[in-house]
Amino acid sequence: MINNENILIINCGSQFTQLIARRLREMKIHSVILNWDVDCAKAASFSPLGIIISGGPDSVNDPDAITIDPAILKLGCPVLGICYGMQLLSKLTGGVVSSGGKPEYGATSINIKGASRLLKGIPESMNVLMSHGDNVSQLPAGFLPTSSTSGGVVASIEDSSRKLYGLQFHPEVAATEHGTEILRNFVFGICGCSGDWDLADWVDGTVAGIRESVGNDRVVCGLSGGVDSSVSAVLVNRAVGENLQCVFVNHGLMRKNEPEQVMSQYKALGLNVKYVDASERFLAELAGVTDPERKRKIIGKLFIDVFEEEAGKIDGAKWLLQGTIYPDVIESGTKKGSAVIKSHHNVGGLPEHMNLKLLEPLRDLFKDEVRALGRIIGMPEEIINRQPFPGPGLAVRCLGEITKQRLDTLREADAIFREELKNAGLYAGIWQSFCVLLPVKSVGVMGDSRTYNEAVVLRAIHSQDAMTAEWVRIDYDVLDRTAKRICNEVKGINRVVMDVTSKPPATIEWE
Ligand code: XMP
């Protein structure tokens, strides 16, 4: 049971809500995210030292805009409203929020005026991320403006006697300079937190929580070989022991030699794993399909079908464990106000009427946190440092029609790229690196003959959480060696190109 200092985050639908929680975890602060409709009594039951009201897509002036229980503002602990949260705070305490002014999206410079506990130690002028259409045009009684934009919009307010604070910009995103310091000022300086939480507590709390919900039921776990599903399995294994039955489905979309390597790692971890070779079934259902979203849906559905078949063979299996992490959730658009970018196969592909209940212990964590967690629970670096690999595997890297032959071509090229990066000592420092096979033929010349073959793309990116990514500037000699080897050693490829787009505007995977 977690018994730490608590900050409550009231979620009004912002894409950044989990990022606020993550920033707090980095400061060793435990937080609880509650939906905007939570009542005051429930909020009080967490004994929060402070409350943060998130941003959100609504306008507080819309008749059906979401709002919070106003009694929450009178609980006595400090409250910080961010963006929509600040507008809501202002409106609920008698201020006026205007719609129809000039919206501000993106980096904006603000100027700080006067003494402010929230902005203590922050330079007088800095760039922040603004993302709002409305603004607070008349402050509620008792509030002072503490900063404004060059366009004259109030950027932060406070009423220190009532311990109410507002920021029109987002301190939780990296694009806001000194954002972390502002959050630190709030939780440590204003709320009085000491920072008494760490990931080890999270492990204890989560293991206890899983034990309680699962009881004596059996859990089926879909292992993919990746760090997320492996960490989930080791965690749940701690909670329910032998009642966890893992299934490793080879969907025929793995990289070269991967199924064998992954199975031996699981054995070494002492997990109870059944190997299921369903590759022919997957390839049969994918035959002729070229649309990326259809590929994803087919794979997601078949994956669950295979699990359900396997689960049906296990007495008392009631739960399906998945290694879903937060970026999977947000990109599948399951949160109010966020758009679908890609339907990640462990989220969007789930059929509506599943016979198994879902267990997703890592759902709120970012990748680097999952890795840190893996270290805490004693997993080997080999698994922890494994590059993320998408659930639908090579299907989203094999553009156009998926055939065994095209997959094999991609596997060979990909193995060469990986090997060259490893030989150059670059592989471990890269977030993800892989090849993509394009259904585009171009003319080449080999020996004295003309060739007309497909092209391979080299993709390598740096990232912290997969939400944004920067393409990696790889040494030309390494690229040259890789390209030569691929054209010489992989039948069916006569051209190698490099993807030099970051995310955004591209995504990491091509489909
Ligand atoms: P994108 O391509 O959306 O990828 O920028 C973000 C991160 O997620 C991985 N990815 C997936 N992971 N199931 C997964 O488990 C999926 O369907 C999926 N699609 C993309 C991708 O490799 C990158 O790390």
Side-chain angles (χ1 to χ4, degrees):
M1 189 60 209
I2 291 176
N3 221 349
N4 297 84
E5 299 167 344
N6 243 334
I7 295 285
L8 280 193
I9 302 173
I10 300 187
N11 184 15
C12 296
S14 167
Q15 293 241 350
F16 299 135
T17 301
Q18 283 292 344
L19 207 48
I20 303 173
R22 188 234 160 90
R23 294 283 170 257
L24 299 185
R25 289 197 288 271
E26 286 168 356
M27 296 170 198
K28 300 198 175 301
I29 308 269
H30 181 252
S31 65
V32 177
I33 299 179
L34 298 173
N35 208 30
W36 56 270
D37 55 2
V38 60
D39 64 41
C40 182
K42 170 98 181 170
S45 70
F46 291 90
S47 310
L49 289 185
I51 295 174
I52 297 178
I53 308 169
S54 83
D58 287 357
S59 160
V60 289
N61 294 324
D62 288 347
D64 54 355
I66 59 175
T67 188
I68 61 165
D69 181 349
I72 288 175
L73 303 181
K74 295 190 177 141
L75 271 176
C77 64
V79 178
L80 169 64
I82 295 175
C83 197
Y84 183 80
M86 162 164 145
Q87 293 160 9
L88 201 52
L89 183 68
S90 305
K91 187 165 180 188
L92 293 173
T93 52
V96 177
V97 176
S98 297
S99 304
K102 196 165 159 254
E104 290 174 306
Y105 295 104
T108 310
S109 158
I110 63 161
N111 289 305
I112 295 172
K113 41 189 168 191
S116 155
R117 286 183 77 190
L118 190 59
L119 303 178
K120 194 172 158 208
I122 307 297
E124 265 179 30
S125 170
M126 65 167 176
N127 287 318
V128 299
L129 182 91
M130 287 283 188
S131 178
H132 68 100
D134 295 352
N135 63 74
V136 177
S137 52
Q138 196 179 314
L139 265 52
F143 276 84
L144 288 173
T146 52
S147 68
S148 57
T149 69
S150 45
V153 170
V154 176
S156 57
I157 57 174
E158 64 187 57
D159 174 349
S160 45
S161 64
R162 282 189 288 172
K163 298 188 253 182
L164 301 177
Y165 300 81
L167 295 170
Q168 185 54 71
F169 55 90
H170 290 274
E172 68 277 24
V173 302
T176 291
E177 290 171 349
H178 307 287
T180 304
E181 284 154 76
I182 297 172
L183 286 175
R184 290 185 76 87
N185 283 344
F186 181 68
V187 293
F188 294 113
I190 296 171
C191 301
C193 294
S194 63
D196 67 348
W197 180 88
D198 61 31
L199 261 184
D201 291 344
W202 186 94
V203 174
D204 294 344
T206 303
V207 167
I210 294 169
R211 204 173 278 142
E212 198 182 313
S213 357
V214 171
N216 290 324
D217 295 345
R218 299 191 80 188
V219 182
V220 193
C221 167
L223 285 178
S224 69
V227 58
D228 305 341
S229 61
S230 309
V231 169
S232 306
V234 173
L235 204 59
V236 172
N237 197 35
R238 279 197 177 183
V240 305
E242 279 294 295
N243 277 343
L244 173 67
Q245 170 68 58
C246 305
V247 179
F248 175 68
V249 176
N250 180 2
H251 53 15
L253 303 163
M254 306 288 285
R255 289 166 290 194
K256 194 176 174 185
N257 299 332
E258 203 166 23
E260 301 76 20
Q261 283 163 3
V262 161
M263 279 304 290
S264 72
Q265 282 169 351
Y266 288 141
K267 292 227 167 84
L269 277 171
L271 294 172
N272 187 8
V273 192
K274 177 170 183 192
Y275 176 78
V276 180
D277 185 355
S279 50
E280 303 223 330
R281 266 174 87 177
F282 277 85
L283 289 186
E285 287 220 18
L286 286 167
V289 179
T290 54
D291 177 68
E293 280 299 293
R294 267 200 72 209
K295 284 182 187 172
R296 283 172 170 274
K297 297 276 181 203
I298 289 171
I299 296 167
K301 162 102 176 52
L302 190 51
F303 224 89
I304 300 295
D305 287 351
V306 175
F307 277 132
E308 288 194 326
E309 286 168 24
E310 290 305 320
K313 298 176 195 162
I314 302 166
D315 273 351
K318 299 241 169 64
W319 297 83
L320 175 68
L321 168 64
Q322 290 208 310
T324 315
I325 65 168
Y326 187 63
D328 306 336
V329 177
I330 195 150
E331 299 228 336
S332 289
T334 55
K335 298 262 148 141
K336 184 180 175 231
S338 60
V340 175
I341 297 169
K342 290 178 189 178
S343 56
H344 277 224
H345 113 344
N346 43 359
V347 184
L350 289 179
E352 299 220 327
H353 305 291
M354 237 177 41
N355 296 327
L356 297 167
K357 290 186 268 184
L358 257 193
L359 198 56
E360 296 179 309
L362 310 180
R363 197 181 165 85
D364 292 338
L365 300 184
F366 290 81
K367 195 81 179 192
D368 54 337
E369 294 181 303
V370 174
R371 290 195 165 122
L373 189 63
R375 286 193 183 94
I376 290 172
I377 59 179
M379 294 181 58
E381 286 296 319
E382 201 185 352
I383 295 183
I384 290 169
N385 288 329
R386 190 185 138 116
Q387 290 186 355
F389 187 64
L394 297 182
V396 295
R397 298 176 179 173
C398 186
L399 273 60
E401 199 179 344
I402 296 170
T403 62
K404 169 103 176 28
Q405 192 189 6
R406 292 190 76 229
L407 287 170
D408 284 341
T409 303
L410 176 55
R411 271 191 267 265
E412 289 305 322
D414 188 73
I416 290 172
F417 187 28
R418 206 158 3 133
E419 193 178 310
E420 287 302 329
L421 289 173
K422 281 186 179 161
N423 290 346
L426 299 174
Y427 189 75
I430 293 177
W431 175 272
Q432 266 175 296
S433 49
F434 52 89
C435 287
V436 177
L437 181 63
L438 299 184
V440 174
K441 287 192 168 185
S442 69
V443 176
V445 55
M446 269 205 135
D448 288 330
S449 326
R450 173 189 189 269
T451 57
Y452 187 53
N453 285 335
E454 290 189 325
V456 153
V457 181
L458 306 181
R459 177 84 166 135
I461 53 100
H462 286 312
S463 179
Q464 276 203 322
D465 50 22
M467 308 222 7
T468 59
E470 179 75 21
W471 65 276
V472 183
R473 276 64 167 170
I474 297 171
D475 185 84
Y476 286 168
D477 290 338
V478 177
L479 292 178
D480 185 49
R481 263 197 307 279
T482 306
K484 281 189 177 127
R485 278 194 61 196
I486 290 177
C487 291
N488 283 329
E489 297 173 33
V490 185
K491 203 164 156 262
I493 301 298
N494 64 353
R495 195 172 291 270
V496 176
V497 298
M498 170 114 190
D499 182 351
V500 292
T501 15
S502 293
K503 173 183 179 177
T507 51
I508 296 172
E509 304 292 345
W510 273 48
E511 286 190 340

